Amino acid sequence: MSGVLDARQRDEAIRKLAAGPLDVLVIGGGITGAGAALDAAARGLRVGLIESRDLAAGTSSRSSKLIHGGLRYLEQGDFKLVKEALRERDLLVSRLAPHLVRPVPFLYPLYRKVVERPYVGAGLVIYDALEGIKRPVPHHRHLTVKGALRRVPALRPERLAGAMLYYDAQVDDARYVVTVARTAALHGATVVTRASAVSLLRDGERVTGARVRDEESGRTFDVAATATVVCAGVWSDPVFAAGGVRAGYQVRMSKGVHLVVPRSAIDAETGMITRTSKSVLFIIPWDDRWIVGTTDTEWTGDRAEPAATAEDVDYILGEANRVLARPLSRSDVLAVYAGLRPLVAEPAAAKHVDAKHADGKGGAEGKGGDGGAGKPTTKLSREHVVDAPVPGLVSIAGGKFTTYRLMAKDVIDAAVEHFPRTVPPSVTSELPLLGADGLPAVRASAQRLADDYRVPLAAVEHLVAKYGTVATEILDLIRADKSLAQLLVADSPYLRAEVAYAVTHEGALHVTDVLARRVRLLIESGDSGASAAPEVAAIMAPLLGWNRRRRAAEVREYQAFAAANAAALRTPAVLAASPATELVPA
Ligand SMILES: Cc1cc2nc3c(=O)[nH]c(=O)nc-3n(C[C@H](O)[C@H](O)[C@H](O)COP(=O)(O)OP(=O)(O)OC[C@H]3O[C@@H](n4cnc5c(N)ncnc54)[C@H](O)[C@@H]3O)c2cc1C
């Protein structure tokens, strides 16, 4: 139980899964599945996690990367949801993942002095109050026009009536999922990526596990489990269909697109949130860049790689340009990415579970203690749904990245409800993630580590900021091979050692796993990481035993993927960009 994910451990893990039986088999390695595997393993259960592609390859690497209460849910009157999310935000920032989740300031520009300031101000008073007394992030503040422009000179000054400043938090979503999965492995979970559930095993009505295909070798094997837990996000319906199960809800896909622009394109020292005609637009600081988004449109195409369109790009640019003095243009955009929200459609009549919610009370609606048939699916909160359509099978969908820990607790509570033995309650609120324990001491030791390992202080600071206390494991790789101390590409802080570490500790099996989800050049560099692919493949090859042909194939595959990803930026605009004349957000 080391928390190491690598190719050797993967072979052993497949043997272990096939030998079974497990208490809990989790299907899906996004944030929900990784969280569920951690929750179950930390209760002392025998747990397996299978993921079709790579950890976070689905929605969980394509979010706005905010850990937030969700200001707009306040407007919808969903105080419980906001309170829950704010408590989770604070727990992650202060105790469970301070190395991964950081407070970030947002400016909310005001354009209607008389009505808007009291309205937004009251909302933020509630937002702050819901958080509780002990707070790791600062309170909101009122700003004058001058104060707003000092923090965000990029704002168009005409008709600006002032601003509010408030705080939320942000995260590298894909890295977070990898860390949760590694923490689950540290507590005994068996984690296997590139392994798909192709059908569910049945004994009469009861689900007794899953038939799994190893996507690397093509072999299939059966995994027996007392409870099978489906955390497949937008893939929930195909998993149910393959298992011959009629679930209590359907998942609808809503596409959200983000643009990434260089920091120099927007002169601002805080993030920004503005209203749009449809929802809100975030401008979020991301190291030397800004992430700008998002959209919300129904999607019925390929689940694996949702495509951004030229219209998506123009919509986001148009909305941003309503408030920016220097308009953004397509030439400013470094990268574009799209993700699919797994939205739970109206649940059909289904059996439901009586899962206990985080606050110790039962589910909100349709609650019944018998897991009985024919009643509506229990809706545990506005956002996520847990369903137990047949014995031995539990599923969860919806929700937010921010509340993954509560979702994991709810779905594992439901999974173990009918276990023959008593299972301890969730302990994840007390369980810091890998890299969190001892963080202040490692942060304070940065200079000594730089001296000891003979690397620049900036490199140590970069590693500690990204990996927390396990940064020393990467420094150990550098000590063994000095060439790993070099930068991977010139204009980015990533070290070659991070590629090696992705393979030796973080379960990366392909170039795409590294560039899309471990070092994030896919969304951070102007060429989507294409020019870094040969170097990444060269570092990975000896660690994974690739020959020259395999190495070339990996590079080709990544470069084709990167080109497809950037296609929306090359496509000529179909709609003219919205004129940047409307100053007052709807
Ligand atoms: C544009 C956008 C912005 C967002 N922004 C935020 C935000 O700022 N903050 C926030 O809190 N939330 C945000 N969200 C919501 C959040 O990202 C999602 O709720 C969350 O990532 C969903 O995680 P998941 O694990 O349920 O699904 P996924 O991450 O999609 O994971 C499901 C996994 O199951 C795997 N899988 C599928 N079928 C099988 C099979 N047969 N066998 C094995 N594995 C399988 C898939 O490969 C996939 O990796 C955003 C969502 C979107 C789309």
Side-chain angles (χ1 to χ4, degrees):
M1 295 202 295
S2 62
V4 167
L5 302 178
D6 68 6
R8 200 171 333 137
Q9 161 278 335
R10 183 177 180 277
D11 291 343
E12 178 54 33
I14 287 174
R15 275 193 291 278
K16 213 165 147 188
L17 288 186
L22 301 171
D23 295 316
V24 175
L25 172 65
V26 178
I27 298 174
I31 188 58
T32 313
L38 174 58
D39 189 281
R43 298 185 196 210
L45 297 171
R46 214 170 282 283
V47 180
L49 168 69
I50 52 168
E51 159 55 46
S52 273
R53 297 190 288 167
D54 181 27
L55 294 165
T59 306
S60 297
S61 56
R62 302 153 190 260
S63 76
S64 305
K65 313 189 194 313
L66 293 176
I67 298 294
H68 60 162
L71 252 190
R72 70 199 162 97
Y73 299 117
L74 270 191
E75 210 166 26
Q76 295 160 7
D78 204 337
F79 296 104
K80 181 170 179 288
L81 174 68
V82 176
K83 184 172 173 174
E84 216 171 74
L86 287 173
R87 297 266 156 109
E88 284 305 296
R89 181 194 76 184
D90 289 358
L91 189 61
L92 302 185
V93 168
S94 58
R95 283 172 56 203
L96 303 190
H99 55 318
L100 302 173
V101 183
R102 297 185 184 88
V104 58
F106 280 99
L107 187 133
Y108 186 124
L110 302 169
Y111 293 93
R112 297 190 192 105
K113 200 171 199 160
V114 183
V115 284
E116 224 182 354
R117 189 182 286 278
Y119 182 70
V120 180
L124 285 168
V125 167
I126 298 170
Y127 200 67
D128 281 349
L130 287 174
E131 189 189 350
I133 297 162
K134 279 190 169 173
R135 37 180 316 121
V137 305
H139 277 101
H140 77 275
R141 289 175 56 188
H142 287 253
L143 298 180
T144 59
V145 171
K146 218 166 129 193
L149 288 171
R150 199 170 51 240
R151 284 177 174 79
V152 183
L155 277 177
R156 297 179 76 182
E158 309 97 286
R159 292 172 59 190
L160 185 67
M164 308 295 299
L165 186 73
Y166 77 102
Y167 288 78
D168 258 319
Q170 73 176 161
V171 69
D172 181 331
D173 48 6
R175 292 209 55 79
Y176 194 93
V177 175
V178 170
T179 308
V180 174
R182 289 188 61 196
T183 309
L186 184 66
H187 292 284
T190 303
V191 177
V192 181
T193 58
R194 293 220 154 63
S196 304
V198 289
S199 64
L200 299 176
L201 306 177
R202 304 292 284 263
D203 178 5
E205 202 196 10
R206 172 171 287 279
V207 168
T208 57
R211 177 150 298 165
V212 177
R213 183 175 54 229
D214 174 355
E215 301 293 356
E216 296 290 292
S217 70
R219 279 194 303 268
T220 56
F221 55 97
D222 288 350
V223 181
T226 308
T228 299
V229 176
V230 179
C231 301
V234 295
W235 286 268
S236 300
D237 295 349
V239 171
F240 296 142
V245 171
R246 195 164 165 271
Y249 57 82
Q250 284 190 321
V251 175
R252 278 176 50 202
M253 302 185 275
S254 146
K255 186 181 74 171
V257 171
H258 291 87
L259 307 182
V260 183
V261 301
R263 200 70 187 228
S264 57
I266 302 172
D267 187 6
E269 60 183 54
T270 74
M272 249 187 296
I273 176 173
T274 68
R275 272 177 191 273
T276 66
S277 50
K278 294 176 187 159
S279 178
V280 292
L281 184 87
F282 281 106
I283 300 179
I284 305 160
W286 182 256
D287 290 334
D288 281 347
R289 294 156 190 86
W290 299 100
I291 293 176
V292 188
T294 181
T295 61
D296 193 343
T297 52
E298 178 132 25
W299 177 258
T300 52
D302 179 17
R303 289 174 168 84
E305 294 305 335
T309 62
E311 287 78 10
D312 294 326
V313 174
D314 290 339
Y315 167 80
I316 295 171
L317 292 176
E319 290 297 340
N321 289 344
R322 285 155 55 124
V323 295
L324 294 177
R326 176 179 100 56
L328 295 176
S329 70
R330 276 171 166 246
S331 61
D332 289 310
V333 181
L334 290 171
V336 55
Y337 66 91
L340 298 176
R341 297 176 189 88
L343 299 182
V344 177
E346 275 304 299
K351 297 185 181 182
H352 72 289
V353 294
D354 180 21
K356 294 281 180 282
H357 207 27
D359 56 9
K361 298 180 190 115
E365 295 170 22
K367 176 176 169 297
D370 57 1
K375 294 182 186 169
T377 303
T378 300
K379 205 173 175 188
L380 289 171
S381 83
R382 246 334 242 286
E383 290 265 297
H384 70 267
V385 173
V386 173
D387 186 29
V390 291
L393 184 72
V394 181
S395 71
I396 185 164
K400 301 163 49 134
F401 201 103
T402 305
T403 51
Y404 81 95
R405 200 190 60 76
L406 301 176
M407 294 170 66
K409 172 191 174 299
D410 286 342
V411 77
I412 297 302
D413 278 347
V416 303
E417 194 179 349
H418 300 295
F419 270 28
R421 64 189 163 98
T422 308
V423 174
S426 174
V427 295
T428 54
S429 65
E430 307 288 332
L431 205 63
L433 298 186
L434 191 75
D437 256 343
L439 187 65
V442 172
R443 276 187 182 144
S445 311
Q447 184 60 60
R448 197 197 64 221
L449 289 169
D451 296 344
D452 288 356
Y453 285 93
R454 297 177 190 201
V455 292
L457 177 62
V460 174
E461 285 172 345
H462 160 75
L463 292 177
V464 173
K466 275 218 132 41
Y467 300 84
T469 59
V470 297
T472 51
E473 294 177 348
I474 301 169
L475 291 169
D476 286 339
L477 294 180
I478 291 174
R479 179 175 273 160
D481 176 355
K482 277 278 167 240
S483 76
L484 294 178
Q486 290 161 15
L487 292 177
L488 179 62
V489 288
D491 54 352
S492 170
Y494 297 118
L495 306 179
R496 294 179 80 246
E498 291 176 79
V499 177
Y501 188 73
V503 174
T504 59
H505 289 70
E506 296 185 329
L509 297 173
H510 295 275
V511 168
T512 316
D513 302 349
V514 173
L515 284 170
R517 291 172 290 273
R518 305 299 188 284
V519 299
R520 319 271 1 221
L521 285 178
L522 175 72
I523 61 165
E524 292 178 357
S525 76
D527 73 347
S528 307
S531 59
E535 179 72 355
V536 169
I539 299 167
M540 295 178 81
L543 299 169
L544 288 164
W546 292 348
N547 59 21
R548 194 184 287 239
R549 223 160 103 192
R550 170 72 191 271
R551 206 168 119 178
E554 285 279 337
V555 172
R556 266 200 314 277
E557 204 173 293
Y558 181 77
Q559 290 178 338
F561 168 70
N565 219 61
L569 295 177
R570 291 193 309 271
T571 317
V574 176
L575 300 173
S578 311
T581 47
E582 175 58 87
L583 260 180
V584 181

mmCIF file of all heavy atoms in Angstrom, residues 111-141:
data_model
loop_
_atom_site.group_PDB
_atom_site.id
_atom_site.type_symbol
_atom_site.label_atom_id
_atom_site.label_comp_id
_atom_site.label_asym_id
_atom_site.label_seq_id
_atom_site.Cartn_x
_atom_site.Cartn_y
_atom_site.Cartn_z
ATOM 1 N N TYR A 111 -22.890 47.501 -12.676
ATOM 2 C CA TYR A 111 -23.220 48.507 -13.684
ATOM 3 C C TYR A 111 -24.489 49.278 -13.338
ATOM 4 O O TYR A 111 -24.763 50.306 -13.930
ATOM 5 C CB TYR A 111 -23.371 47.842 -15.058
ATOM 6 C CG TYR A 111 -22.046 47.297 -15.540
ATOM 7 C CD1 TYR A 111 -21.668 45.986 -15.289
ATOM 8 C CD2 TYR A 111 -21.141 48.133 -16.189
ATOM 9 C CE1 TYR A 111 -20.442 45.507 -15.691
ATOM 10 C CE2 TYR A 111 -19.907 47.664 -16.599
ATOM 11 C CZ TYR A 111 -19.563 46.343 -16.343
ATOM 12 O OH TYR A 111 -18.336 45.890 -16.735
ATOM 13 N N ARG A 112 -25.272 48.769 -12.393
ATOM 14 C CA ARG A 112 -26.494 49.485 -12.000
ATOM 15 C C ARG A 112 -26.350 49.804 -10.515
ATOM 16 O O ARG A 112 -26.653 48.962 -9.675
ATOM 17 C CB ARG A 112 -27.724 48.620 -12.230
ATOM 18 C CG ARG A 112 -27.950 48.250 -13.669
ATOM 19 C CD ARG A 112 -29.315 47.609 -13.812
ATOM 20 N NE ARG A 112 -29.461 46.980 -15.103
ATOM 21 C CZ ARG A 112 -29.419 45.667 -15.308
ATOM 22 N NH1 ARG A 112 -29.244 44.839 -14.296
ATOM 23 N NH2 ARG A 112 -29.550 45.165 -16.520
ATOM 24 N N LYS A 113 -25.891 51.030 -10.279
ATOM 25 C CA LYS A 113 -25.473 51.393 -8.923
ATOM 26 C C LYS A 113 -26.577 51.141 -7.884
ATOM 27 O O LYS A 113 -26.356 50.483 -6.870
ATOM 28 C CB LYS A 113 -25.094 52.873 -8.910
ATOM 29 C CG LYS A 113 -24.219 53.260 -7.761
ATOM 30 C CD LYS A 113 -23.730 54.670 -7.962
ATOM 31 C CE LYS A 113 -22.509 54.921 -7.110
ATOM 32 N NZ LYS A 113 -21.742 56.061 -7.587
ATOM 33 N N VAL A 114 -27.771 51.629 -8.165
ATOM 34 C CA VAL A 114 -28.805 51.640 -7.134
ATOM 35 C C VAL A 114 -29.326 50.241 -6.829
ATOM 36 O O VAL A 114 -29.431 49.843 -5.689
ATOM 37 C CB VAL A 114 -29.960 52.574 -7.560
ATOM 38 C CG1 VAL A 114 -31.027 52.660 -6.471
ATOM 39 C CG2 VAL A 114 -29.420 53.953 -7.883
ATOM 40 N N VAL A 115 -29.614 49.491 -7.901
ATOM 41 C CA VAL A 115 -30.219 48.175 -7.637
ATOM 42 C C VAL A 115 -29.188 47.072 -7.440
ATOM 43 O O VAL A 115 -29.383 46.155 -6.642
ATOM 44 C CB VAL A 115 -31.189 47.739 -8.769
ATOM 45 C CG1 VAL A 115 -32.485 48.469 -8.679
ATOM 46 C CG2 VAL A 115 -30.552 47.908 -10.132
ATOM 47 N N GLU A 116 -28.070 47.155 -8.162
ATOM 48 C CA GLU A 116 -27.178 45.994 -8.200
ATOM 49 C C GLU A 116 -26.337 45.837 -6.938
ATOM 50 O O GLU A 116 -26.165 44.733 -6.425
ATOM 51 C CB GLU A 116 -26.267 46.090 -9.429
ATOM 52 C CG GLU A 116 -26.151 44.769 -10.152
ATOM 53 C CD GLU A 116 -25.212 44.852 -11.351
ATOM 54 O OE1 GLU A 116 -24.740 45.955 -11.687
ATOM 55 O OE2 GLU A 116 -24.933 43.807 -11.919
ATOM 56 N N ARG A 117 -25.831 46.951 -6.424
ATOM 57 C CA ARG A 117 -24.916 46.822 -5.270
ATOM 58 C C ARG A 117 -25.620 46.211 -4.049
ATOM 59 O O ARG A 117 -25.117 45.237 -3.479
ATOM 60 C CB ARG A 117 -24.250 48.156 -4.927
ATOM 61 C CG ARG A 117 -23.153 47.988 -3.885
ATOM 62 C CD ARG A 117 -22.498 49.307 -3.492
ATOM 63 N NE ARG A 117 -21.606 49.861 -4.470
ATOM 64 C CZ ARG A 117 -20.331 49.508 -4.657
ATOM 65 N NH1 ARG A 117 -19.817 48.529 -3.953
ATOM 66 N NH2 ARG A 117 -19.580 50.094 -5.551
ATOM 67 N N PRO A 118 -26.799 46.726 -3.669
ATOM 68 C CA PRO A 118 -27.456 46.085 -2.512
ATOM 69 C C PRO A 118 -27.799 44.623 -2.775
ATOM 70 O O PRO A 118 -27.674 43.766 -1.900
ATOM 71 C CB PRO A 118 -28.744 46.895 -2.319
ATOM 72 C CG PRO A 118 -28.643 48.071 -3.196
ATOM 73 C CD PRO A 118 -27.530 47.882 -4.165
ATOM 74 N N TYR A 119 -28.192 44.313 -4.018
ATOM 75 C CA TYR A 119 -28.604 42.943 -4.361
ATOM 76 C C TYR A 119 -27.414 41.980 -4.280
ATOM 77 O O TYR A 119 -27.438 40.972 -3.568
ATOM 78 C CB TYR A 119 -29.203 42.958 -5.773
ATOM 79 C CG TYR A 119 -29.724 41.623 -6.237
ATOM 80 C CD1 TYR A 119 -30.867 41.066 -5.673
ATOM 81 C CD2 TYR A 119 -29.078 40.928 -7.251
ATOM 82 C CE1 TYR A 119 -31.358 39.845 -6.111
ATOM 83 C CE2 TYR A 119 -29.556 39.702 -7.698
ATOM 84 C CZ TYR A 119 -30.695 39.168 -7.125
ATOM 85 O OH TYR A 119 -31.158 37.964 -7.552
ATOM 86 N N VAL A 120 -26.336 42.333 -4.993
ATOM 87 C CA VAL A 120 -25.159 41.453 -5.001
ATOM 88 C C VAL A 120 -24.502 41.455 -3.615
ATOM 89 O O VAL A 120 -24.060 40.422 -3.108
ATOM 90 C CB VAL A 120 -24.150 41.904 -6.085
ATOM 91 C CG1 VAL A 120 -22.926 40.993 -6.090
ATOM 92 C CG2 VAL A 120 -24.806 41.896 -7.448
ATOM 93 N N GLY A 121 -24.491 42.637 -2.985
ATOM 94 C CA GLY A 121 -23.883 42.744 -1.647
ATOM 95 C C GLY A 121 -24.598 41.846 -0.655
ATOM 96 O O GLY A 121 -23.969 41.121 0.122
ATOM 97 N N ALA A 122 -25.923 41.838 -0.701
ATOM 98 C CA ALA A 122 -26.689 40.983 0.223
ATOM 99 C C ALA A 122 -26.388 39.519 -0.059
ATOM 100 O O ALA A 122 -26.220 38.706 0.863
ATOM 101 C CB ALA A 122 -28.183 41.267 0.065
ATOM 102 N N GLY A 123 -26.304 39.193 -1.344
ATOM 103 C CA GLY A 123 -25.980 37.810 -1.723
ATOM 104 C C GLY A 123 -24.637 37.394 -1.148
ATOM 105 O O GLY A 123 -24.489 36.290 -0.602
ATOM 106 N N LEU A 124 -23.671 38.288 -1.220
ATOM 107 C CA LEU A 124 -22.333 37.932 -0.725
ATOM 108 C C LEU A 124 -22.280 37.883 0.801
ATOM 109 O O LEU A 124 -21.501 37.120 1.374
ATOM 110 C CB LEU A 124 -21.289 38.912 -1.282
ATOM 111 C CG LEU A 124 -20.979 38.656 -2.766
ATOM 112 C CD1 LEU A 124 -20.170 39.807 -3.368
ATOM 113 C CD2 LEU A 124 -20.229 37.339 -2.965
ATOM 114 N N VAL A 125 -23.118 38.686 1.467
ATOM 115 C CA VAL A 125 -23.207 38.579 2.935
ATOM 116 C C VAL A 125 -23.686 37.173 3.291
ATOM 117 O O VAL A 125 -23.128 36.497 4.166
ATOM 118 C CB VAL A 125 -24.167 39.655 3.508
ATOM 119 C CG1 VAL A 125 -24.510 39.347 4.968
ATOM 120 C CG2 VAL A 125 -23.539 41.041 3.398
ATOM 121 N N ILE A 126 -24.710 36.708 2.567
ATOM 122 C CA ILE A 126 -25.230 35.350 2.829
ATOM 123 C C ILE A 126 -24.155 34.319 2.480
ATOM 124 O O ILE A 126 -23.905 33.368 3.223
ATOM 125 C CB ILE A 126 -26.524 35.093 2.015
ATOM 126 C CG1 ILE A 126 -27.616 36.071 2.429
ATOM 127 C CG2 ILE A 126 -27.009 33.657 2.199
ATOM 128 C CD1 ILE A 126 -28.836 36.062 1.533
ATOM 129 N N TYR A 127 -23.509 34.515 1.333
ATOM 130 C CA TYR A 127 -22.464 33.575 0.881
ATOM 131 C C TYR A 127 -21.397 33.421 1.963
ATOM 132 O O TYR A 127 -21.011 32.320 2.338
ATOM 133 C CB TYR A 127 -21.842 34.141 -0.397
ATOM 134 C CG TYR A 127 -21.108 33.147 -1.274
ATOM 135 C CD1 TYR A 127 -21.794 32.130 -1.922
ATOM 136 C CD2 TYR A 127 -19.737 33.276 -1.501
ATOM 137 C CE1 TYR A 127 -21.135 31.253 -2.771
ATOM 138 C CE2 TYR A 127 -19.063 32.405 -2.348
ATOM 139 C CZ TYR A 127 -19.780 31.390 -2.985
ATOM 140 O OH TYR A 127 -19.113 30.530 -3.821
ATOM 141 N N ASP A 128 -20.941 34.551 2.493
ATOM 142 C CA ASP A 128 -19.912 34.515 3.545
ATOM 143 C C ASP A 128 -20.462 33.890 4.826
ATOM 144 O O ASP A 128 -19.785 33.123 5.502
ATOM 145 C CB ASP A 128 -19.396 35.921 3.843
ATOM 146 C CG ASP A 128 -18.385 36.390 2.803
ATOM 147 O OD1 ASP A 128 -17.934 35.555 1.993
ATOM 148 O OD2 ASP A 128 -18.060 37.596 2.794
ATOM 149 N N ALA A 129 -21.737 34.234 5.144
ATOM 150 C CA ALA A 129 -22.310 33.750 6.408
ATOM 151 C C ALA A 129 -22.513 32.237 6.381
ATOM 152 O O ALA A 129 -22.317 31.555 7.385
ATOM 153 C CB ALA A 129 -23.643 34.440 6.676
ATOM 154 N N LEU A 130 -22.886 31.706 5.205
ATOM 155 C CA LEU A 130 -23.136 30.263 5.106
ATOM 156 C C LEU A 130 -21.875 29.460 5.360
ATOM 157 O O LEU A 130 -21.914 28.289 5.699
ATOM 158 C CB LEU A 130 -23.691 29.919 3.713
ATOM 159 C CG LEU A 130 -25.133 30.338 3.440
ATOM 160 C CD1 LEU A 130 -25.510 30.063 1.985
ATOM 161 C CD2 LEU A 130 -26.091 29.595 4.360
ATOM 162 N N GLU A 131 -20.748 30.116 5.160
ATOM 163 C CA GLU A 131 -19.484 29.409 5.289
ATOM 164 C C GLU A 131 -19.175 29.039 6.733
ATOM 165 O O GLU A 131 -18.469 28.079 6.993
ATOM 166 C CB GLU A 131 -18.396 30.331 4.720
ATOM 167 C CG GLU A 131 -17.059 29.678 4.589
ATOM 168 C CD GLU A 131 -16.005 30.688 4.229
ATOM 169 O OE1 GLU A 131 -16.341 31.848 3.909
ATOM 170 O OE2 GLU A 131 -14.835 30.316 4.291
ATOM 171 N N GLY A 132 -19.708 29.808 7.676
ATOM 172 C CA GLY A 132 -19.418 29.518 9.083
ATOM 173 C C GLY A 132 -18.390 30.497 9.643
ATOM 174 O O GLY A 132 -17.914 31.394 8.935
ATOM 175 N N ILE A 133 -18.027 30.287 10.895
ATOM 176 C CA ILE A 133 -17.196 31.282 11.588
ATOM 177 C C ILE A 133 -15.716 31.109 11.275
ATOM 178 O O ILE A 133 -15.003 32.045 10.972
ATOM 179 C CB ILE A 133 -17.458 31.208 13.102
ATOM 180 C CG1 ILE A 133 -18.918 31.569 13.370
ATOM 181 C CG2 ILE A 133 -16.556 32.183 13.865
ATOM 182 C CD1 ILE A 133 -19.443 31.159 14.709
ATOM 183 N N LYS A 134 -15.249 29.868 11.326
ATOM 184 C CA LYS A 134 -13.828 29.623 11.026
ATOM 185 C C LYS A 134 -13.662 29.663 9.526
ATOM 186 O O LYS A 134 -14.224 28.831 8.812
ATOM 187 C CB LYS A 134 -13.433 28.239 11.522
ATOM 188 C CG LYS A 134 -13.126 28.161 12.973
ATOM 189 C CD LYS A 134 -12.535 26.811 13.240
ATOM 190 C CE LYS A 134 -11.945 26.702 14.618
ATOM 191 N NZ LYS A 134 -11.542 25.315 14.857
ATOM 192 N N ARG A 135 -12.901 30.629 8.995
ATOM 193 C CA ARG A 135 -12.863 30.736 7.540
ATOM 194 C C ARG A 135 -11.430 30.874 7.044
ATOM 195 O O ARG A 135 -10.724 31.785 7.431
ATOM 196 C CB ARG A 135 -13.729 31.891 7.071
ATOM 197 C CG ARG A 135 -13.710 33.108 7.980
ATOM 198 C CD ARG A 135 -14.583 34.221 7.490
ATOM 199 N NE ARG A 135 -14.417 34.408 6.082
ATOM 200 C CZ ARG A 135 -15.410 34.306 5.208
ATOM 201 N NH1 ARG A 135 -16.621 34.062 5.590
ATOM 202 N NH2 ARG A 135 -15.173 34.483 3.922
ATOM 203 N N PRO A 136 -11.022 29.995 6.139
ATOM 204 C CA PRO A 136 -9.688 30.097 5.588
ATOM 205 C C PRO A 136 -9.584 31.073 4.422
ATOM 206 O O PRO A 136 -8.505 31.321 3.920
ATOM 207 C CB PRO A 136 -9.384 28.666 5.119
ATOM 208 C CG PRO A 136 -10.712 28.071 4.811
ATOM 209 C CD PRO A 136 -11.704 28.763 5.701
ATOM 210 N N VAL A 137 -10.728 31.606 3.944
ATOM 211 C CA VAL A 137 -10.659 32.595 2.852
ATOM 212 C C VAL A 137 -11.263 33.915 3.360
ATOM 213 O O VAL A 137 -12.161 33.904 4.190
ATOM 214 C CB VAL A 137 -11.406 32.127 1.576
ATOM 215 C CG1 VAL A 137 -10.906 30.773 1.095
ATOM 216 C CG2 VAL A 137 -12.902 32.068 1.789
ATOM 217 N N PRO A 138 -10.761 35.050 2.840
ATOM 218 C CA PRO A 138 -11.226 36.349 3.347
ATOM 219 C C PRO A 138 -12.697 36.630 3.023
ATOM 220 O O PRO A 138 -13.274 36.034 2.132
ATOM 221 C CB PRO A 138 -10.323 37.353 2.619
ATOM 222 C CG PRO A 138 -9.169 36.554 2.105
ATOM 223 C CD PRO A 138 -9.677 35.172 1.869
ATOM 224 N N HIS A 139 -13.284 37.608 3.777
ATOM 225 C CA HIS A 139 -14.644 38.090 3.522
ATOM 226 C C HIS A 139 -14.705 38.889 2.217
ATOM 227 O O HIS A 139 -13.688 39.391 1.761
ATOM 228 C CB HIS A 139 -15.074 39.048 4.643
ATOM 229 C CG HIS A 139 -15.602 38.334 5.841
ATOM 230 N ND1 HIS A 139 -14.848 38.128 6.964
ATOM 231 C CD2 HIS A 139 -16.816 37.794 6.094
ATOM 232 C CE1 HIS A 139 -15.580 37.484 7.870
ATOM 233 N NE2 HIS A 139 -16.761 37.266 7.362
ATOM 234 N N HIS A 140 -15.929 39.071 1.709
ATOM 235 C CA HIS A 140 -16.093 39.917 0.517
ATOM 236 C C HIS A 140 -15.904 41.398 0.889
ATOM 237 O O HIS A 140 -15.987 41.760 2.076
ATOM 238 C CB HIS A 140 -17.477 39.685 -0.092
ATOM 239 C CG HIS A 140 -18.590 40.366 0.648
ATOM 240 N ND1 HIS A 140 -19.200 39.804 1.748
ATOM 241 C CD2 HIS A 140 -19.189 41.569 0.464
ATOM 242 C CE1 HIS A 140 -20.139 40.619 2.192
ATOM 243 N NE2 HIS A 140 -20.133 41.698 1.432
ATOM 244 N N ARG A 141 -15.683 42.232 -0.121
ATOM 245 C CA ARG A 141 -15.517 43.679 0.106
ATOM 246 C C ARG A 141 -16.224 44.454 -0.988
ATOM 247 O O ARG A 141 -16.346 43.984 -2.114
ATOM 248 C CB ARG A 141 -14.028 44.046 0.049
ATOM 249 C CG ARG A 141 -13.228 43.542 1.220
ATOM 250 C CD ARG A 141 -11.762 43.854 1.018
ATOM 251 N NE ARG A 141 -11.530 45.267 0.807
ATOM 252 C CZ ARG A 141 -10.350 45.777 0.448
ATOM 253 N NH1 ARG A 141 -9.323 44.990 0.269
ATOM 254 N NH2 ARG A 141 -10.193 47.078 0.274
#
